[in-house]
Amino acid sequence: MGEVIQENSSQVNPGNIVMSGIRPTGFLHLGNYFGAMQNYVKMQTEFTCYFMVADLHSLTTHPDTSELKANVQRVLAENIACGLDPEKAAIYCQSQVFETSELYLYLNMLAYVGELEKTVTFKEKVRLNPQNVNAGLLTYPVLMSADILLHRAKFVPVGKDQEQHLEMARNYAQRFNHRYGEVFPEPEAFNFNSKLVKVPALDGSGKMSKSENQNATIYLSDDNDTIRKKLMKAKTDSGPVEKNSQMPDYIENLFQLMELVSEPSFIQEQKEAFNNCTIRYGDMKKQLGEDMVRFIEPIRTRAEEILKDGPYLEQVMKSGAEKARNSAIKTMSRVREAMGLSYF
Ligand code: TRP
């Protein structure tokens, strides 16, 4: 696995290109915010950034397109509400950059079926959905590689679950360069924060999720009462009976969430209360709920406003696609040239 490049790395320089994508399936949540979007927002001022809604990828598992446009618009609106700026970054939709499909085709000839079948995400999707094992699902990592290589991107901010795909993108870049001549830099995982922020689910069962575990996940679209209710239902117990005891996972998770949205003095106070066994989880969750509402409400309201403005969203998608295609067209003429496909 490639190492995750950190902010202080000497390899970071503003000439480098950043690319990332997010599928328009499910709802964006607090984990996406702290794991991805916050990172994008910082990067957009320092690098040339391409941020994409991966609608073609969603077709591998969600062939019904009746709600696709609405989902794409929601993801765009939520990202913009979190601070992504269409003036600074190219924010676009994958299907509108047609060059993606061409590069995907060429890269498919460099991808071996054996290695695709061994991909962890592929095996997982086959297990979950054995009745729709289509070829697009198998070549999902090839399409993702096309997204990245299309801009000759160097840095790809992604979560752990995508690192294997990124390794495959490096393989395809190497194979291409080796066979047809040097065109692609090798893309690497990138993270702006020196420590990866963990955003645990509310029931003590792993991370927040776009589609599963909805009661244990705080979505950016949750209304205030839903947020409060979810917090009140978060798993706790009757409290420690011995001073300075070990914190159970699910309580530690709540503290981790407080680190993201609550006042440091409140967190300190609660830690002390835990250590001397006077903690009242009900009160703590209530305050955490209020802090969470204070954090989510402005994002949700802004996203709702943006969503109502259809013409604005269309204009964002149009200008994003234009920027992305400018870059894609340049890369593709180098690709065709290198491959000997420029006949006239
Ligand atoms: N596969 C990614 C995910 O599921 C989304 C994605 C598509 C992506 N193309 C990309 C991420 C290119 C980074 C770069 O989250």
Side-chain angles (χ1 to χ4, degrees):
M1 286 277 156
E3 253 179 58
V4 176
I5 298 192
Q6 307 286 354
E7 183 182 8
N8 57 5
S9 164
S10 57
Q11 296 176 70
V12 174
N13 94 49
N16 281 320
I17 292 168
V18 173
M19 194 276 147
S20 196
I22 184 159
R23 270 175 306 163
T25 51
F27 287 80
L28 295 180
H29 53 74
L30 211 61
N32 297 124
Y33 181 87
F34 286 104
M37 284 135 97
Q38 202 188 35
N39 216 0
Y40 298 171
V41 171
K42 284 194 208 152
M43 278 186 278
Q44 67 183 353
T45 54
E46 299 195 22
F47 301 99
T48 305
C49 290
Y50 295 91
F51 295 126
M52 176 195 88
V53 182
D55 58 343
L56 298 177
H57 274 111
S58 74
L59 297 177
T60 62
T61 48
H62 296 64
D64 179 356
T65 53
S66 53
E67 285 172 27
L68 188 57
K69 185 177 172 192
N71 290 336
V72 166
Q73 289 190 327
R74 188 167 38 78
V75 171
L76 280 172
E78 287 181 343
N79 272 285
I80 297 169
C82 288
L84 264 197
D85 182 350
E87 303 278 320
K88 293 186 184 136
I91 304 175
Y92 65 100
C93 187
Q94 189 180 29
S95 61
Q96 305 310 304
V97 179
F98 313 124
E99 291 74 15
T100 309
S101 305
E102 185 187 353
L103 185 55
Y104 170 57
L105 179 91
Y106 301 153
L107 295 180
N108 268 318
M109 319 306 183
L110 299 171
Y112 301 114
V113 171
E115 68 193 356
L116 291 167
E117 282 170 340
K118 276 192 260 163
T119 313
V120 174
T121 50
F122 174 68
K123 289 194 289 192
E124 176 69 4
K125 286 173 190 163
V126 170
R127 196 176 60 78
L128 291 176
N129 221 349
Q131 75 292 355
N132 184 20
V133 184
N134 60 77
L137 195 66
L138 181 68
T139 55
Y140 183 109
V142 186
L143 181 55
M144 175 162 159
S145 303
D147 297 331
I148 299 166
L149 300 181
L150 195 57
H151 301 298
R152 305 180 63 254
K154 180 85 184 122
F155 296 136
V156 186
V158 282
K160 268 249 162 295
D161 62 321
Q162 298 294 313
E163 276 184 16
Q164 189 179 25
H165 296 162
L166 207 48
E167 190 178 353
M168 295 166 89
R170 281 194 290 279
N171 286 337
Y172 305 144
Q174 271 169 16
R175 283 175 206 165
F176 185 99
N177 292 344
H178 189 250
R179 183 161 304 167
Y180 299 116
E182 197 72 23
V183 173
F184 298 118
E186 287 180 31
E188 307 191 44
F190 179 88
N191 202 295
F192 226 108
N193 301 311
S194 45
K195 54 178 190 319
L196 278 180
V197 189
K198 195 179 146 204
V199 184
L202 298 172
D203 57 358
S205 74
K207 297 193 300 178
M208 291 196 176
S209 160
K210 267 159 99 180
S211 49
E212 297 148 42
N213 221 359
Q214 302 198 350
N215 283 323
T217 298
I218 305 284
Y219 295 97
L220 300 181
S221 55
D222 279 346
D223 63 43
N224 293 351
D225 279 340
T226 305
I227 297 172
R228 291 187 181 106
K229 274 192 204 125
K230 283 183 179 176
L231 257 307
M232 285 320 283
K233 282 198 209 130
K235 180 171 175 179
T236 51
D237 51 33
S238 52
V241 286
E242 248 177 70
K243 288 199 170 181
N244 302 313
S245 26
Q246 167 89 15
M247 228 181 239
D249 290 356
Y250 45 90
I251 301 296
E252 205 178 302
N253 288 350
L254 292 179
F255 272 89
Q256 249 156 22
L257 292 173
M258 287 192 283
E259 295 285 347
L260 302 174
V261 297
S262 300
E263 293 288 338
S265 57
F266 174 69
I267 302 172
Q268 191 52 34
E269 202 182 285
Q270 294 303 308
K271 272 191 189 144
E272 281 160 20
F274 178 86
N275 285 335
N276 59 34
C277 306
T278 56
I279 193 158
R280 295 160 66 130
Y281 289 137
D283 294 348
M284 181 176 99
K285 290 196 287 188
K286 197 157 185 220
Q287 183 61 46
L288 176 55
E290 293 313 313
D291 296 339
M292 201 59 93
V293 163
R294 195 159 22 85
F295 185 84
I296 301 277
E297 188 175 32
I299 297 177
R300 185 190 65 232
T301 315
R302 180 85 189 101
E304 281 165 1
E305 276 166 22
I306 295 168
L307 255 186
K308 276 192 221 131
D309 194 346
Y312 169 73
L313 278 173
E314 271 171 31
Q315 189 267 322
V316 166
M317 280 199 261
K318 228 175 166 173
S319 78
E322 220 167 89
K323 287 191 228 172
R325 289 199 68 206
N326 273 338
S327 146
I329 286 167
K330 283 193 200 123
T331 304
M332 288 317 291
S333 73
R334 287 179 68 165
V335 165
R336 284 182 221 112
E337 189 70 37
M339 292 180 77
L341 297 173
S342 302
Y343 299 145
F344 45 82

